[in-house]
Amino acid sequence: MKIGVLIKQVPGSEASLRILPDHSWIDESTLEFEMNESDSYALEEALQIVEREGDGEVVAISMGPEPRTTKVLREALAKGAHRAIHIVESPPYEIDPLLVGHIIKNAIAEEHFDLLFSGLQSNDLSQGQTGLVVGELLGMNTATLVMATEMQDDHIRVKRELEGRWFQWVTIPLPAVLTIQSGINQPRYPSLKGIMGAKKKEIRIVPKETVLPEVEKTQSFGSIYIPQKEKKTVMIEGDATTVVQKLVDVFKHEIKIL
Amino acid sequence: MDILVFLENQQGTLHRISREAVVAAQEFAREPGLSVAAFWLGTLPPGVAEELNALGVAEWIQVSSPVLNDYSADGYTAAFCELIRQEQPRYIFMGHSYRVRDFVPRVSTRLNRPFISDVIHFAWKEQGPVFTKQIFNAKMVTDMQAQGDGPVLVSFQAAAFSEEKLAAGSPAAREMTLDLPADIVRSRAEEPFQEETGGVDLTAADLIVSIGRGIGKKENIPLAQALADKMGAELGSSRPLVDAGWMPPQRQVGSSGQSVAPKLYFALGISGAIQHVIGMKGSKNVVAINKDPEAPIFEIADYGVVGDILELIPLLTEALPG
Ligand SMILES: Cc1cc2nc3c(=O)[nH]c(=O)nc-3n(C[C@H](O)[C@H](O)[C@H](O)COP(=O)(O)OP(=O)(O)OC[C@H]3O[C@@H](n4cnc5c(N)ncnc54)[C@H](O)[C@@H]3O)c2cc1C
């Protein structure tokens, strides 16, 4: 069983983001990046499948600049991925999911993965398309919003999340692409031994220029900006004691629940 | 037809998000004077035809094929591609539903045309339409534009357009049969099911104290529970706490959890992601505490406090009478 996991580096959820003066992107110079949340669930699921099956290989794949991409790939290796592929990209980043998909496909086609996982969306652009695009380009079967997996010879049975708290089991033949929903498992922390071992594992470097596709860009954006606030929220201000007293007043006199 | 709207079958009814997509199409078409049609894939459940016959569009198409009677990503992908090939629309509009997430990226790939997803707003500019999309967890937005010639796939975020604005009409109805080979469907789906709710019914609660990732660690949850107890409120939460195993799934509020409409929704350390907001925007009053003044939750809160919940929760619990 050979499983590839697509991993993106995104700003940490607590990061305070600033827009560049020309509004072309956010200022990345002081930002900490981390493994995209649902991608870390995807990685964990791949590791668990290989452990359950008793053999196989997990390959972590990420496209992005130094040093943050190496950082998340090293983290994946420390958690147990066997090797990694780094598609090296420097700004401006490609944001068209079709182009990104073609680039990744070109970089990994020769791997012939049985399974290719990604998180269901990234917490930066949240387009939720890359995994499926790569899968479609490679002629793989697909399933999204996966909340459980079960290997069955040359098929995989997956529990898909539907809307309104419904679920459904779906079985698809390999090779297949799955997009993984958060909460499917409890991602592990890397062990000290894992961290030490990761340094010796291979990261194959693929410069983006060497895998550029022949297709044209299909979508793009101009500038990014802070949305206009529409709702008038009454902000309660003051020191902690004052705020608490005002909240009690609001509960009592405005919302009338006390 | 310039715009085709995908009418989604949600367990035998027309999905609300599709009605919203029709509203988006009606508004998008107005200024440049574009024509709008809509389509339904597969057999029509009872009652749906009447609703489609009253939609304010030029026509609606029922697309039939044996592979479309049950949903599959393979069948829907093939049907979309064939329909687009035959009808040559400029835009295909739809709601950003789970199903659309599941197969439209494949349509986009097969056609090599853009899928602009989860759009909240559009505007006609000199160079053509731009589609506004939230990025970085709704902290920012950007305007997406399609490049090149050919159809553009656009999905709209739930509740970005109000179904109350849906214009009625008397469209023509047309049937279209697609010749799709049965073996294109490579997946085998079992019956959908729901999981036990364990007797908790947040939907009946008058007051909900709801916690998010801002609670920091599992050990802090009793603080929020004490506040909820003092207020006589149920404790709810955002998804990450359920994912982490800190809170039981039946207490999750949002698109993949409960939809609630209490008298007070007290959001503590919740950023206000759309998937959460979908589940609580019907609340009569929303009060939010968040340490980040830019948190999107303040976009829907009636009252807001910028502050540290770990400091404020115990103080508030103490200050409340009773
Ligand atoms: C298909 C799909 C379905 C989903 N379904 C759901 C769903 O049903 N329900 C749901 O909730 N989410 C759902 N999500 C996830 C959703 O997108 C968000 O990731 C999630 O709601 C974020 O939860 P949060 O606000 O608790 O965490 P975060 O977004 O991490 O926000 C934490 C907030 O706490 C604040 N904070 C941190 N520390 C403190 C402190 N000490 N005091 C005060 N404030 C503090 C931070 O400023 C931040 O705003 C879904 C996502 C997808 C893609």
Side-chain angles (χ1 to χ4, degrees), chain B residues 154-170:
Chain B
V154 185
S155 69
F156 292 92
Q157 188 171 90
F161 290 82
S162 164
E163 61 169 343
E164 278 151 31
K165 295 201 182 133
L166 186 64
S170 42

PDB file of all heavy atoms in Angstrom, chain B residues 154-170:
ATOM      1  N   VAL B 154     -19.537  28.330 -10.794  1.00  0.00           N
ATOM      2  CA  VAL B 154     -19.503  29.186  -9.609  1.00  0.00           C
ATOM      3  C   VAL B 154     -20.414  28.602  -8.533  1.00  0.00           C
ATOM      4  O   VAL B 154     -21.584  28.319  -8.800  1.00  0.00           O
ATOM      5  CB  VAL B 154     -20.001  30.621  -9.923  1.00  0.00           C
ATOM      6  CG1 VAL B 154     -19.835  31.520  -8.706  1.00  0.00           C
ATOM      7  CG2 VAL B 154     -19.266  31.210 -11.124  1.00  0.00           C
ATOM      8  N   SER B 155     -19.871  28.413  -7.319  1.00  0.00           N
ATOM      9  CA  SER B 155     -20.741  27.977  -6.215  1.00  0.00           C
ATOM     10  C   SER B 155     -20.829  29.087  -5.179  1.00  0.00           C
ATOM     11  O   SER B 155     -19.871  29.814  -4.940  1.00  0.00           O
ATOM     12  CB  SER B 155     -20.207  26.697  -5.576  1.00  0.00           C
ATOM     13  OG  SER B 155     -19.005  26.940  -4.890  1.00  0.00           O
ATOM     14  N   PHE B 156     -22.018  29.226  -4.581  1.00  0.00           N
ATOM     15  CA  PHE B 156     -22.265  30.289  -3.620  1.00  0.00           C
ATOM     16  C   PHE B 156     -22.394  29.724  -2.216  1.00  0.00           C
ATOM     17  O   PHE B 156     -23.005  28.676  -2.002  1.00  0.00           O
ATOM     18  CB  PHE B 156     -23.539  31.051  -4.000  1.00  0.00           C
ATOM     19  CG  PHE B 156     -23.373  31.827  -5.276  1.00  0.00           C
ATOM     20  CD1 PHE B 156     -23.709  31.257  -6.491  1.00  0.00           C
ATOM     21  CD2 PHE B 156     -22.825  33.103  -5.256  1.00  0.00           C
ATOM     22  CE1 PHE B 156     -23.528  31.950  -7.683  1.00  0.00           C
ATOM     23  CE2 PHE B 156     -22.636  33.813  -6.437  1.00  0.00           C
ATOM     24  CZ  PHE B 156     -22.989  33.238  -7.652  1.00  0.00           C
ATOM     25  N   GLN B 157     -21.804  30.444  -1.279  1.00  0.00           N
ATOM     26  CA  GLN B 157     -21.846  30.039   0.116  1.00  0.00           C
ATOM     27  C   GLN B 157     -23.284  30.028   0.632  1.00  0.00           C
ATOM     28  O   GLN B 157     -24.082  30.893   0.257  1.00  0.00           O
ATOM     29  CB  GLN B 157     -21.020  31.024   0.940  1.00  0.00           C
ATOM     30  CG  GLN B 157     -20.822  30.627   2.366  1.00  0.00           C
ATOM     31  CD  GLN B 157     -19.810  31.532   3.050  1.00  0.00           C
ATOM     32  OE1 GLN B 157     -20.150  32.562   3.625  1.00  0.00           O
ATOM     33  NE2 GLN B 157     -18.546  31.149   2.985  1.00  0.00           N
ATOM     34  N   ALA B 158     -23.597  29.076   1.491  1.00  0.00           N
ATOM     35  CA  ALA B 158     -24.935  29.002   2.083  1.00  0.00           C
ATOM     36  C   ALA B 158     -25.265  30.343   2.726  1.00  0.00           C
ATOM     37  O   ALA B 158     -24.428  30.950   3.383  1.00  0.00           O
ATOM     38  CB  ALA B 158     -24.983  27.896   3.129  1.00  0.00           C
ATOM     39  N   ALA B 159     -26.480  30.828   2.476  1.00  0.00           N
ATOM     40  CA  ALA B 159     -27.011  32.046   3.091  1.00  0.00           C
ATOM     41  C   ALA B 159     -26.358  33.334   2.564  1.00  0.00           C
ATOM     42  O   ALA B 159     -26.653  34.411   3.071  1.00  0.00           O
ATOM     43  CB  ALA B 159     -26.919  31.998   4.616  1.00  0.00           C
ATOM     44  N   ALA B 160     -25.499  33.247   1.557  1.00  0.00           N
ATOM     45  CA  ALA B 160     -24.935  34.471   0.980  1.00  0.00           C
ATOM     46  C   ALA B 160     -26.035  35.244   0.238  1.00  0.00           C
ATOM     47  O   ALA B 160     -26.006  36.465   0.164  1.00  0.00           O
ATOM     48  CB  ALA B 160     -23.790  34.148   0.037  1.00  0.00           C
ATOM     49  N   PHE B 161     -26.993  34.509  -0.305  1.00  0.00           N
ATOM     50  CA  PHE B 161     -28.164  35.125  -0.934  1.00  0.00           C
ATOM     51  C   PHE B 161     -29.398  34.619  -0.210  1.00  0.00           C
ATOM     52  O   PHE B 161     -29.432  33.466   0.226  1.00  0.00           O
ATOM     53  CB  PHE B 161     -28.211  34.792  -2.431  1.00  0.00           C
ATOM     54  CG  PHE B 161     -27.124  35.482  -3.200  1.00  0.00           C
ATOM     55  CD1 PHE B 161     -25.846  34.952  -3.239  1.00  0.00           C
ATOM     56  CD2 PHE B 161     -27.368  36.689  -3.840  1.00  0.00           C
ATOM     57  CE1 PHE B 161     -24.822  35.609  -3.905  1.00  0.00           C
ATOM     58  CE2 PHE B 161     -26.354  37.354  -4.512  1.00  0.00           C
ATOM     59  CZ  PHE B 161     -25.075  36.811  -4.541  1.00  0.00           C
ATOM     60  N   SER B 162     -30.390  35.495  -0.072  1.00  0.00           N
ATOM     61  CA  SER B 162     -31.564  35.124   0.709  1.00  0.00           C
ATOM     62  C   SER B 162     -32.639  34.524  -0.185  1.00  0.00           C
ATOM     63  O   SER B 162     -33.049  35.127  -1.176  1.00  0.00           O
ATOM     64  CB  SER B 162     -32.106  36.359   1.420  1.00  0.00           C
ATOM     65  OG  SER B 162     -33.408  36.096   1.866  1.00  0.00           O
ATOM     66  N   GLU B 163     -33.115  33.330   0.186  1.00  0.00           N
ATOM     67  CA  GLU B 163     -34.135  32.687  -0.635  1.00  0.00           C
ATOM     68  C   GLU B 163     -35.433  33.489  -0.628  1.00  0.00           C
ATOM     69  O   GLU B 163     -36.292  33.308  -1.478  1.00  0.00           O
ATOM     70  CB  GLU B 163     -34.383  31.247  -0.184  1.00  0.00           C
ATOM     71  CG  GLU B 163     -34.880  31.128   1.221  1.00  0.00           C
ATOM     72  CD  GLU B 163     -35.362  29.718   1.565  1.00  0.00           C
ATOM     73  OE1 GLU B 163     -35.604  28.918   0.658  1.00  0.00           O
ATOM     74  OE2 GLU B 163     -35.490  29.431   2.763  1.00  0.00           O
ATOM     75  N   GLU B 164     -35.573  34.390   0.353  1.00  0.00           N
ATOM     76  CA  GLU B 164     -36.788  35.214   0.381  1.00  0.00           C
ATOM     77  C   GLU B 164     -36.879  36.134  -0.836  1.00  0.00           C
ATOM     78  O   GLU B 164     -37.948  36.614  -1.177  1.00  0.00           O
ATOM     79  CB  GLU B 164     -36.836  36.041   1.669  1.00  0.00           C
ATOM     80  CG  GLU B 164     -37.384  35.215   2.828  1.00  0.00           C
ATOM     81  CD  GLU B 164     -36.854  35.653   4.179  1.00  0.00           C
ATOM     82  OE1 GLU B 164     -36.583  36.865   4.327  1.00  0.00           O
ATOM     83  OE2 GLU B 164     -36.705  34.773   5.046  1.00  0.00           O
ATOM     84  N   LYS B 165     -35.730  36.393  -1.471  1.00  0.00           N
ATOM     85  CA  LYS B 165     -35.747  37.276  -2.649  1.00  0.00           C
ATOM     86  C   LYS B 165     -36.038  36.521  -3.937  1.00  0.00           C
ATOM     87  O   LYS B 165     -35.992  37.103  -5.031  1.00  0.00           O
ATOM     88  CB  LYS B 165     -34.390  37.966  -2.781  1.00  0.00           C
ATOM     89  CG  LYS B 165     -34.104  38.906  -1.640  1.00  0.00           C
ATOM     90  CD  LYS B 165     -33.046  39.934  -2.021  1.00  0.00           C
ATOM     91  CE  LYS B 165     -32.712  40.843  -0.874  1.00  0.00           C
ATOM     92  NZ  LYS B 165     -31.251  40.982  -0.712  1.00  0.00           N
ATOM     93  N   LEU B 166     -36.317  35.237  -3.835  1.00  0.00           N
ATOM     94  CA  LEU B 166     -36.544  34.416  -5.019  1.00  0.00           C
ATOM     95  C   LEU B 166     -37.730  34.954  -5.826  1.00  0.00           C
ATOM     96  O   LEU B 166     -38.833  35.067  -5.319  1.00  0.00           O
ATOM     97  CB  LEU B 166     -36.825  32.977  -4.580  1.00  0.00           C
ATOM     98  CG  LEU B 166     -36.958  31.926  -5.677  1.00  0.00           C
ATOM     99  CD1 LEU B 166     -35.659  31.773  -6.436  1.00  0.00           C
ATOM    100  CD2 LEU B 166     -37.335  30.587  -5.054  1.00  0.00           C
ATOM    101  N   ALA B 167     -37.459  35.320  -7.092  1.00  0.00           N
ATOM    102  CA  ALA B 167     -38.542  35.803  -7.953  1.00  0.00           C
ATOM    103  C   ALA B 167     -39.253  34.598  -8.568  1.00  0.00           C
ATOM    104  O   ALA B 167     -38.619  33.644  -8.985  1.00  0.00           O
ATOM    105  CB  ALA B 167     -37.966  36.693  -9.051  1.00  0.00           C
ATOM    106  N   ALA B 168     -40.582  34.682  -8.602  1.00  0.00           N
ATOM    107  CA  ALA B 168     -41.369  33.579  -9.150  1.00  0.00           C
ATOM    108  C   ALA B 168     -41.566  33.787 -10.647  1.00  0.00           C
ATOM    109  O   ALA B 168     -41.335  34.872 -11.182  1.00  0.00           O
ATOM    110  CB  ALA B 168     -42.706  33.492  -8.443  1.00  0.00           C
ATOM    111  N   GLY B 169     -41.990  32.750 -11.343  1.00  0.00           N
ATOM    112  CA  GLY B 169     -42.233  32.844 -12.780  1.00  0.00           C
ATOM    113  C   GLY B 169     -42.973  31.614 -13.253  1.00  0.00           C
ATOM    114  O   GLY B 169     -43.450  30.808 -12.444  1.00  0.00           O
ATOM    115  N   SER B 170     -43.084  31.492 -14.557  1.00  0.00           N
ATOM    116  CA  SER B 170     -43.703  30.266 -15.090  1.00  0.00           C
ATOM    117  C   SER B 170     -42.827  29.744 -16.230  1.00  0.00           C
ATOM    118  O   SER B 170     -43.077  30.016 -17.403  1.00  0.00           O
ATOM    119  CB  SER B 170     -45.132  30.522 -15.549  1.00  0.00           C
ATOM    120  OG  SER B 170     -45.188  31.744 -16.241  1.00  0.00           O
TER     121      SER B 170
END
